[in-house]
Amino acid sequence: MKLGKVEFCHFLQLIALFLCFSGMSQAELSRSRSKPYFQSGRSRTKRSWVWNQFFVLEEYMGSDPLYVGKLHSDVDKGDGSIKYILSGEGASSIFIIDENTGDIHATKRLDREEQAYYTLRAQALDRLTNKPVEPESEFVIKIQDINDNEPKFLDGPYTAGVPEMSPVGTSVVQVTATDADDPTYGNSARVVYSILQGQPYFSVEPKTGVIKTALPNMDREAKDQYLLVIQAKDMVGQNGGLSGTTSVTVTLTDVNDNPPRFPRRSYQYNVPESLPVASVVARIKAADADIGANAEMEYRIVDGDGFGIFKISVDKDSQEGIITIQKDLDFEAKTSYTLRIEAANRDADPRFLSLGPFSDTTTVKIIVEDVDEPPVFSSPLYPMEVSEATQVGNIIGTVAAHDPDSSNSPVRYSIDRNTDLERYFNIDANSGVITTAKSLDRETNAVHNITVLAMESQNPSQIGRGYVAITILDINDNAPEFAMDYETTVCENAQPGQVIQKISAVDKDEPSNGHQFYFSLTMDATNNHNFSLKDNKDNTASILTRRNGFRRQEQSVYYLPVFIVDSGSPSLSSTNTLTIRVCDCDADGVAQTCNAEAYVLPAGLSTGALIAILACVLTLLVLILLIVTMRRRKKEPLIFDEERDIRENIVRYDDEGGGEEDTEAFDMAALRNLNVLRDTKTRRDVTPEIQFLSRPTFKSIPDNVIFREFIWERLKEADIDPCAPPYDSLQTYAFEGNGSVAESLSSLDSISSNSDQNYDYLSDWGPRFKRLADMYGTGPESLYS
């Protein structure tokens, strides 16, 4: 009868239990037969029990405690006077002992993989005295293993790679499974490997777990990836063993086993003849089933009539062959080209050369299309020369251009004025003859680079460009002159024949043989008694003294005319004046001061003293200006004229103001007649009480037209001017003058006056004059009525 996996495990447990019980019974029996003996005096009692270890099966699933073994001592007579105690690992929590019989039981399920053994101590005590009757003894309870753990692949799932076309038996990867069961007991941890999925391509070594190829010539281009399932089974693979699986993904890596192949045997492309050099004509690609470095290509032109006209290179990213132009195309010269192009792998694998050549060829035909081209000059650059002395209108040279098209259209010439802004040259539109239009100067511009435009007569949009370099030839038209502005000095204590200056000359001209200058003094200066000139014959000259005893107070500056001649044909000359100053020098001949005015200063008065005197004078002037300014400010009047329009008071905008009664910050005397003197003056920093004083009697006029017009004009000015203060604030008006018939405009004393003036019209002037209308009006709402 065939047992299942579970039934077989139970069968093994029963056999193990039977063997365990048999062993423990024999041990107990042998221990019970040993007799203790006692020895008087200095003697020790022979141990009456001996044990080493007990065995118990793991994973016990019964409902009752699992019997482990029995402790028994020969001292125990069975009368209940002896009790047994247990201590150590798992005592009371996992293992319990019957204190009367000594039977040990396990109360919990045990797992060998968690703990393989427990060390405990047993002792027999007298029940009455609680004293040991036997020495304490240590023993071990060992957990016996059963096959309860399946093999596991701790590193799975696996990925691996193997080159395609590998021979049979090529190692791919090794897999390893671990079993937690006891490898020293039985076959629970002995694992064998097998392949469940992946045949017939791969196999696995049963004992080592090494996966190998099982078929030859596996082609990546046909299938590049395989999924394998590997099983590990314990119990040496026998029935009833536990198993575990893992997956292995095997990828076939590429090798160069496929040659490149062009999809077509010939290609044809049309390109215009105006295509610039280095432009791309076409892209072709040979197909290669390989990937990566095995698919890298090399292209080359092996035959055809396009050598030197075209070239082919490879695009590193796409592995395409790129055909580009190396020279200009000309439809009129050649209308088509044929190229034979070869594509080959960069790195061929010698193992697969037998499969055929790893290269392929194709034919590329390039058709040149005709386009309307601009005129072409016979030379890319025309060098010309002309003397700077040439006359206006003289011919310098000729340029020539033609239409390269078959129509051969006539050409007209012109100069690009952006390259000849000063219009030095002209060109004949039909013949291309270049002439001078202005006088030329080599020293201003030695070379003129101009661009000549050639335009088709039938199609003016087609313009060709030619370049002309006109070199201006030099003539001797510039006289020599001093190389620099010399600052020459001569010491008062100079000796005769002493060199005081070395001079040289420059010339803007550039003779072919170089410059040669000749120096001399002018005829007027030849016989002077102060200085002489010596020509050094190397385009320099030296100025020497003829005497000693130069004195600044007698003559501080000397002017020496120098005559310079060049070697041109004809030669040119010039007279240059050298200024020589007489200076006071130290013992080494270094000039200290060259000012003749120093001798005019009074004796004993130094420059520092003069500076101090000037500083004092300036300080006094500044003080005088400050005093005058302060006095002018003190004399300014408090009441300003009307033209300056200066306000007397500070205008505050954070409140509406107190109107007529607000006299805290204003001097109301300005509103009174200038001829009327006030008896009392109110302090401006204290709010005054309103005093109702009788107004003095003035000459009144029945008509108030002047007063009304004056107020109305001021009202309009205040409304129009955005910078003016509110109209009810104080403003000083110099209107009345001395003895004005308009009398005083102040309203402070209006209440106590006996004036019969009618002010009812104030209510018609709007809300701004409401306060005045209430004070002086005769209506029922008058404030003081």
Side-chain angles (χ1 to χ4, degrees), residues 260-282:
R261 292 290 180 264
F262 283 105
R264 297 166 54 183
R265 306 318 301 170
S266 63
Y267 298 85
Q268 180 173 317
Y269 299 94
N270 294 349
V271 295
E273 62 174 335
S274 60
L275 200 64
V277 174
S279 299
V280 177
V281 174

Side-chain angles (χ1 to χ4, degrees), residues 502-578:
K502 187 175 183 179
I503 60 175
S504 61
V506 294
D507 193 331
K508 295 180 181 179
D509 296 321
E510 291 184 358
S512 57
N513 297 326
H515 289 290
Q516 181 63 47
F517 300 115
Y518 305 96
F519 299 87
S520 64
L521 297 178
T522 62
M523 296 298 295
D524 298 337
T526 302
N527 298 322
N528 81 90
H529 303 288
N530 299 314
F531 305 99
S532 63
L533 183 145
K534 178 184 177 182
D535 193 338
N536 298 325
K537 306 301 182 181
D538 59 354
N539 290 338
T540 64
S542 299
I543 307 298
L544 299 88
T545 58
R546 281 187 172 180
R547 66 179 180 88
N548 57 4
F550 293 95
R551 294 180 60 83
R552 284 179 292 168
Q553 61 271 28
E554 294 179 358
Q555 185 173 351
S556 61
V557 180
Y558 292 89
Y559 298 99
L560 186 66
V562 178
F563 187 70
I564 308 175
V565 182
D566 62 17
S567 58
S569 180
S571 62
L572 297 179
S573 63
S574 67
T575 300
N576 299 264
T577 301
L578 183 65

Side-chain angles (χ1 to χ4, degrees), residues 404-458:
D405 298 320
S406 57
S407 59
N408 195 15
S409 175
V411 175
R412 295 182 62 83
Y413 302 94
S414 63
I415 294 177
D416 185 354
R417 291 305 175 183
N418 291 324
T419 61
D420 183 26
L421 297 176
E422 300 296 331
R423 295 182 177 267
Y424 284 107
F425 308 99
N426 289 329
I427 189 171
D428 187 272
N430 297 317
S431 63
V433 174
I434 299 175
T435 58
T436 58
K438 284 184 178 181
S439 297
L440 303 177
D441 186 9
R442 188 203 64 82
E443 288 70 35
T444 303
N445 193 351
V447 178
H448 295 264
N449 294 303
I450 64 174
T451 301
V452 177
L453 307 178
M455 182 187 307
E456 288 187 12
S457 300
Q458 297 178 359

